[in-house]
Amino acid sequence: MAQTVISVEKIKSFWHSQVHDEEKWAVNMKLLRAAGLFGGSIILMRSFGDMMAI
């Protein structure tokens, strides 16, 4: 089997490239907001969906 070595330095450099770059951070924030809205709507519909039914 092939072993992949993931070092702490690789993780730190990836995190730094995603957070400290203005353009990538803007895209990541849009994705985080969309995922949060999607997850929140699932929780809302599971909790109160029967009351919203017509």
Side-chain angles (χ1 to χ4, degrees), residues 29-50:
M29 278 306 295
K30 286 180 185 177
L31 287 173
L32 286 171
R33 283 186 188 129
L37 183 63
F38 182 72
S41 64
I42 289 174
I43 292 170
L44 180 78
M45 290 304 289
R46 286 185 61 103
S47 299
F48 302 109
D50 54 342

Side-chain angles (χ1 to χ4, degrees), residues 17-34:
S17 71
Q18 293 297 314
V19 172
H20 296 291
D21 186 10
E22 297 277 334
E23 293 174 4
K24 288 183 182 178
W25 180 246
V27 171
N28 289 337
M29 278 306 295
K30 286 180 185 177
L31 287 173
L32 286 171
R33 283 186 188 129

